[in-house]
């Protein structure tokens, strides 16, 4: 086998391997996700459910996102998306949940966007503001259902695996991190305010020259006035001397 023939075979194998790798990676990149994927426990956050269209011959026409009922969210609001209708569904919880805002017996259980289209090769983001996030869990799972114009329904509802590997149809999952320890985040935020009182000092140099110029101007006027008085006195003395000279 010639060297050029061997090189061509090696190139063909490498190209095939690359294509296979990309083909296997594409499904993992195309599922419905929540962005950003992390938030702080106990706080509020704004997230976007990102929906790519995976089909070449159909458009995505509806997205349903189920909200957790074991860790319900007391406040949920949605951002309008041009061309899409949104429906927020509240339902009774399996059991009441006590939060810092009181006991919750009902909460948002599902949000549905419909009426629009995500064409092949495109994606759409649906934004939601929500909180307060629970402090007794490290993740919230939002099973999603994607409907295509051809009637196909894809459920993204598999929870994360314990070993960290990705399931076949992963559900959008929001990872929750502990809130910073007291003082960790406040130090940085208080630094600017602590420095704020020093701001007037920066204007001091611009005030000082003005005061100095006024003082110098006053001194000059005083000296000028004194000189004028002395000049007049000299004239009086000279005139008096001249008169005495004539009289003698």
């Amino acid at each position: 086998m010639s060297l050029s023939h061997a090189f061509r075979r090696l190139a063909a194998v490498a190209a095939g391997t690359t294509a296979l790798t990309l083909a296997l990676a594409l499904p993992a990149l195309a599922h419905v996700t929540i962005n950003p994927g992390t938030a702080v426990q106990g706080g509020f956050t704004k997230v976007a459910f990102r929906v790519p269209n995976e089909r070449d011959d159909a458009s995505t026409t509806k997205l349903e996102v189920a909200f957790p009922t074991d860790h319900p969210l007391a406040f949920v609001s949605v951002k309008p998306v041009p061309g899409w209708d949104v429906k927020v569904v509240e339902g009774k919880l399996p059991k009441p949940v006590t939060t810092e805002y009181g006991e919750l017996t009902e909460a948002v259980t599902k949000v549905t966007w419909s009426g629009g289209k995500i064409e092949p090769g495109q994606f759409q983001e649906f934004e939601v503001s929500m909180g307060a996030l629970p402090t007794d869990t490290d993740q919230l799972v939002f099973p999603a259902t994607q409907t295509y114009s051809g009637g196909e329904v894809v459920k993204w509802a598999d929870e994360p695996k314990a070993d960290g590997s990705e399931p076949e149809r992963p559900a959008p999952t929001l990872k929750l991190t502990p809130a910073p320890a007291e003082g960790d985040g406040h130090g940085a935020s208080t630094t600017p305010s602590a420095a704020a009182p020093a701001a007037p000092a920066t204007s001091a140099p611009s005030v000082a020259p003005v005061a100095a110029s006024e003082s110098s101007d006053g001194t000059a006027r005083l000296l000028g006035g004194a000189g004028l008085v002395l000049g007049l006195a000299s004239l009086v003395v000279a005139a008096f001397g001249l008169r005495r000279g004539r009289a003698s």
Side-chain angles (χ1 to χ4, degrees):
M1 180 184 297
S2 66
L3 182 60
S4 60
H5 182 66
F7 181 78
R8 285 196 299 270
R9 286 193 60 183
L10 181 61
V13 171
T17 302
T18 302
L20 179 60
T21 302
L22 290 175
L24 293 175
L26 284 176
L29 296 174
H31 54 256
V32 177
T33 57
I34 187 170
N35 299 278
T38 61
V40 178
Q41 293 175 338
F44 285 73
T45 189
K46 184 189 78 169
V47 299
F49 292 98
R50 183 176 299 167
V51 184
N53 191 81
E54 293 184 298
R55 302 294 178 260
D56 295 330
D57 57 352
S59 301
T60 297
T61 57
K62 186 167 72 171
L63 175 71
E64 296 178 4
V65 177
F67 278 61
T69 55
D70 55 343
H71 293 93
L73 300 167
F75 302 97
V76 175
S77 59
V78 296
K79 182 176 181 179
V81 181
W84 292 80
D85 299 321
V86 60
K87 181 179 180 182
V88 180
V89 177
E90 292 189 7
K92 198 168 186 65
L93 299 175
K95 62 179 181 179
V97 176
T98 302
T99 71
E100 60 179 308
Y101 303 100
E103 186 179 76
L104 289 182
T105 57
E106 293 185 353
V108 171
T109 58
K110 184 172 65 173
V111 178
T112 302
W113 290 268
S114 61
K117 282 187 179 182
I118 307 174
E119 303 288 354
Q122 299 179 354
F123 74 92
Q124 179 65 56
E125 290 187 334
F126 302 94
E127 294 183 333
V128 176
S129 175
M130 57 190 182
L133 301 175
T135 58
D136 57 349
T137 183
D138 60 359
Q139 67 180 22
L140 291 177
V141 180
F142 298 84
T145 303
Q146 183 177 10
T147 302
Y148 287 93
S149 56
E152 181 185 6
V153 176
V154 180
K155 293 185 177 295
W156 304 95
D158 296 341
E159 296 194 12
K161 294 184 178 181
D163 60 4
S165 61
E166 188 173 79
E168 182 180 359
R169 300 286 182 183
T173 301
L174 181 65
K175 299 291 185 181
L176 301 180
T177 59
E182 191 69 27
D184 286 357
H186 297 292
S189 62
T190 55
T191 300
S193 60
T202 61
S203 61
S206 66
V207 174
V210 174
S213 63
E214 290 177 353
S215 176
S216 300
D217 187 52
T219 302
R221 290 180 182 179
L222 178 61
L223 293 175
L228 181 60
V229 171
L230 289 174
L232 290 174
S234 299
L235 290 174
V236 171
V237 171
F240 183 72
L242 180 60
R243 178 176 293 182
R244 288 187 61 184
R246 288 178 179 177
S248 62

